[in-house]
Amino acid sequence: MENYYPIVIIGSGVAGLYGALQFDERYKVLIISKRNAELSNSSLAQGGIAAVLDGSDDNIELHIKDTMIAGKYKNNPEAVRVLVSEGGKDVIRLKELGVDFDLDSNGELLKTLEAGHSRNRIVHHKDFTGKAVTDRLIELVRERKNIDFIENTHVFSVDKAENGFYIGMLKDGNIETVACSYCILATGGIGRVYKYTTNSAIATGDGIAFAKKLGAKIMHLDRIQFHPTAFAGEQGRERFLISEAVRGEGAVLLNCYGERFAFNYDERGELAPRDVVSEAIIKESMRTNSENFYLDITHKDPEFIKARFPMIYENCLAEGIDITVEKIPVFPCQHYLMGGIDVDLYARTSVDRLYATGECSHTGVHGANRLASNSLLEALVFSRRAATDIMDKLTKDCSIVKGSMPKYSMGHIVLPTGIRTEIRTTLQDSYFVIKKAEKFEESFQRFNTILENLENTDYILNSAYIEAKSLATVAQEIMLEVTGRKQQEDY
Ligand SMILES: Cc1cc2nc3c(=O)[nH]c(=O)nc-3n(C[C@H](O)[C@H](O)[C@H](O)COP(=O)(O)OP(=O)(O)OC[C@H]3O[C@@H](n4cnc5c(N)ncnc54)[C@H](O)[C@@H]3O)c2cc1C
């Protein structure tokens, strides 16, 4: 690692990796990942990537319409048009880069259907598309001479300098600092602020906390997607997903009496958008006074199920459920953040030289609710756009980063246990699928107190402390939104 890079990207999910690969080889890029390269929400993505491709019965207007309907027309129409009209090319680019998508006998990309889509437009690699994409992008990034990639290095601060930033990070227990002209936050989601989530352990909203500290505009953190069908076993915080594609292939949702009920809440039944199905389950749960729900795909050919959903089949089997002959226990779970660090069509935040891409950003494409498989697409399209914009600026910009380097301290007080658990429980109790207004004020005050304590106590600088601060910042932001303390805008 050098002590200066024109571009630093924080995050090695699809947004960080694909963005880094867009930079011309004459620009040095540093990617920082707080855990190993493979641990990200990107590598967990199952269903696939939505894209309008040539030679199908699909078209851009249909994908835009589906995206706007799912988003309850709270989407930024301009951003949606960019996403949909440019996304196909990025998907083809991934194929050219060697991502092993499932193909038909003519070598064309196979496309499947997912909830909320009016056409088959989801390209995939079996049911572990995210892993197929990230594994290949990681390989490519490692081959590139202009990209340095450091793992297990936790960024704890991004500080503004003249003409750039200083990035403070914790590597092997020591503080290191690097300067950059442009910083891209690609730090992913916030799932770990909830008790139950499908998100990986890295999803603690660190980038959102850094951006907030820098004064960047943060928007709509209360726009949280709860996935209706996470596996409801005995596991801990991270719940694996029974993807929409299982319902797309005909699985039905049953209540505790073994009755189908989704059509009682929406005419699209099991294939309604996620928020609609999640809410249907919670309401049905209140009606039946039971949290026992199931997905049933046993009417399909067992060989088809195993070939189409090998990962889900194996994961369920490991939990004692053979999905070819047994119903799968499911319940809603935090899954995705539609809001985030507000950016424009080139992923520029409101802070000069600071960009945000992927799940930590708010481009406005998802509106009030994300259409399935639009988020990997968003990560691709807007990370490429960020890189294009930065390269354009770098050709005209030879200014050097100036200003005194911040003095970071290692701290000396041990972080008490239980803070992160308290944040999760408090949030889960006040806003999980349905907002419980009566709990908002108390939760908001509690998050303020926790954050104040974290910011003003000389706690030892380690990952637990960094993430506790991020979680408290995110929880506080969510409460600012739900209590109406923030100005509400559509997008
Ligand atoms: C189970 C599951 C299934 C999904 N399925 C689909 C799907 O089928 N289709 C779809 O479109 N979307 C899907 N999604 C959503 C999608 O995967 C994510 O929105 C997307 O991958 C986010 O990519 P990202 O690059 O923004 O973040 P991530 O892939 O989460 O990467 C974040 C990166 O930031 C790093 N990082 C974070 N904080 C720091 C820090 N402080 N210092 C250093 N590094 C840091 C992390 O280590 C990680 O490398 C799914 C999500 C989940 C959880």
Side-chain angles (χ1 to χ4, degrees):
M1 188 177 79
E2 296 164 20
N3 54 18
Y4 165 78
Y5 289 82
I7 306 110
V8 167
I9 300 177
I10 308 174
S12 66
V14 163
L17 296 165
Y18 189 70
L21 289 168
Q22 308 307 310
F23 284 96
D24 206 285
E25 302 230 1
R26 72 197 139 120
Y27 299 116
K28 271 296 242 181
V29 179
L30 173 67
I31 305 179
I32 309 168
S33 184
K34 69 177 169 182
R35 302 280 282 272
N36 58 317
E38 291 79 12
L39 194 74
S40 64
N41 278 1
S42 296
S43 56
L44 293 177
Q46 296 179 348
I49 312 178
V52 176
L53 301 169
D54 291 344
S56 62
D57 63 345
D58 200 4
N59 66 56
I60 283 165
E61 299 310 322
L62 284 174
H63 190 181
I64 290 176
K65 191 171 164 207
D66 294 342
T67 303
M68 300 293 290
I69 291 173
K72 300 188 178 9
Y73 292 91
K74 304 274 187 198
N75 327 54
N76 176 347
E78 233 187 317
V80 175
R81 187 161 288 280
V82 167
L83 174 86
V84 170
S85 53
E86 296 185 3
K89 287 194 199 91
D90 287 298
V91 168
I92 298 295
R93 183 79 191 114
L94 281 185
K95 185 176 174 236
E96 289 165 357
L97 287 172
V99 172
D100 184 18
F101 288 118
D102 290 346
L103 306 175
D104 65 17
S105 51
N106 298 321
E108 300 294 330
L109 289 162
L110 265 179
K111 291 172 282 234
T112 191
L113 185 65
E114 282 191 351
H117 289 273
S118 58
R119 291 288 184 279
N120 283 34
R121 63 167 74 99
I122 319 299
V123 301
H124 51 88
H125 174 97
K126 302 197 186 322
D127 62 349
F128 47 97
T129 309
K131 182 164 166 30
V133 175
T134 47
D135 282 358
R136 180 65 189 139
L137 294 181
I138 289 167
E139 266 174 27
L140 291 168
V141 155
R142 293 200 198 284
E143 285 165 12
R144 285 280 291 268
K145 294 206 166 39
N146 66 317
I147 302 177
D148 287 348
F149 186 5
I150 48 170
E151 297 169 70
N152 300 305
T153 302
H154 204 148
V155 172
F156 59 84
S157 193
V158 177
D159 292 279
K160 192 89 188 83
E162 205 179 317
N163 307 320
F165 301 92
Y166 290 114
I167 314 285
M169 61 195 120
L170 206 53
K171 189 173 189 315
D172 303 325
N174 300 311
I175 292 174
E176 298 204 11
T177 309
V178 69
C180 64
S181 302
Y182 294 88
C183 174
I184 305 179
L185 299 170
T187 49
I190 57 149
R192 292 299 169 128
V193 78
Y194 273 96
K195 226 161 130 182
Y196 299 118
T197 177
T198 57
N199 288 192
S200 82
I202 55 87
T204 52
D206 296 2
I208 294 171
F210 304 149
K212 188 173 178 192
K213 199 177 128 205
L214 285 166
K217 187 174 179 188
I218 311 292
M219 275 185 80
H220 297 311
L221 277 213
D222 63 329
R223 290 188 179 172
I224 296 163
Q225 185 168 81
F226 298 91
H227 197 288
T229 54
F231 186 86
E234 297 303 313
Q235 348 79 304
R237 194 166 303 128
E238 191 174 320
R239 296 189 153 195
F240 67 88
L241 194 67
I242 311 299
S243 122
E244 237 99 30
V246 178
R247 276 174 284 141
E249 297 289 358
V252 294
L253 198 50
L254 305 174
N255 66 14
C256 59
Y257 304 116
E259 301 160 343
R260 273 182 93 173
F261 63 92
F263 282 98
N264 301 343
Y265 295 92
D266 191 280
E267 62 187 12
R268 293 161 290 185
E270 280 89 355
L271 291 182
R274 288 177 178 168
D275 59 327
V276 178
V277 181
S278 292
E279 210 172 305
I281 296 177
I282 297 295
K283 286 185 176 157
E284 186 69 1
S285 165
M286 281 146 64
R287 192 186 73 79
T288 56
N289 200 21
S290 165
E291 290 195 350
N292 295 333
F293 288 86
Y294 305 91
L295 264 184
D296 190 355
I297 193 164
T298 54
H299 56 283
K300 288 275 186 181
D301 175 11
E303 292 317 310
F304 166 80
I305 296 174
K306 286 187 218 167
R308 178 69 182 85
F309 304 113
M311 190 166 86
I312 293 173
Y313 173 75
E314 287 302 333
N315 284 349
C316 290
L317 208 55
E319 297 288 331
I321 304 284
D322 178 349
I323 68 171
T324 64
V325 290
E326 288 173 281
K327 295 178 290 182
I328 314 167
V330 292
F331 202 66
C333 191
Q334 190 286 343
H335 184 51
Y336 184 77
L337 173 69
M338 273 78 71
I341 308 158
D342 195 46
V343 294
D344 66 9
L345 297 178
Y346 285 91
R348 294 178 283 224
T349 72
S350 57
V351 173
D352 189 31
R353 296 169 182 269
L354 183 70
Y355 291 67
T357 57
E359 194 167 340
C360 71
S361 70
H362 170 261
T363 59
V365 297
H366 306 300
N369 181 43
R370 174 185 67 129
L371 181 65
S373 288
N374 264 356
S375 45
L376 289 174
L377 191 69
E378 179 195 37
L380 296 173
V381 170
F382 289 92
S383 64
R384 171 180 47 72
R385 289 191 138 237
T388 309
D389 192 64
I390 294 172
M391 281 192 288
D392 183 49
K393 291 204 166 108
L394 280 168
T395 55
K396 303 165 198 152
D397 174 15
C398 5
S399 51
I400 49 167
V401 181
K402 284 194 251 171
S404 51
M405 210 182 263
K407 288 194 174 54
Y408 303 117
S409 127
M410 276 310 290
H412 66 276
I413 299 172
V414 177
L415 184 75
T417 52
I419 292 184
R420 286 172 294 171
T421 305
E422 185 187 348
I423 295 170
R424 288 173 184 131
T425 313
T426 308
L427 192 60
Q428 182 96 12
D429 285 349
S430 46
Y431 173 25
F432 179 69
V433 183
I434 290 176
K435 292 176 178 165
K436 294 189 193 138
E438 69 279 9
K439 302 236 174 152
F440 288 169
E441 201 53 42
E442 193 189 331
S443 304
F444 177 63
Q445 297 306 342
R446 187 63 197 135
F447 293 140
N448 282 348
T449 308
I450 292 174
L451 191 57
E452 213 176 282
N453 167 268
L454 289 168
E455 279 174 344
N456 298 318
T457 312
D458 192 22
Y459 288 123
I460 292 171
L461 187 61
N462 56 24
S463 289
Y465 172 55
I466 300 165
E467 291 182 351
K469 261 203 308 185
S470 303
L471 294 177
T473 306
V474 166
Q476 187 204 44
E477 265 304 302
I478 293 171
M479 283 298 132
L480 280 172
E481 293 275 359
V482 296
T483 55
R485 284 176 163 88
K486 277 189 93 162
Q487 198 192 337
Q488 301 295 312
E489 297 167 58
D490 271 4
Y491 54 82

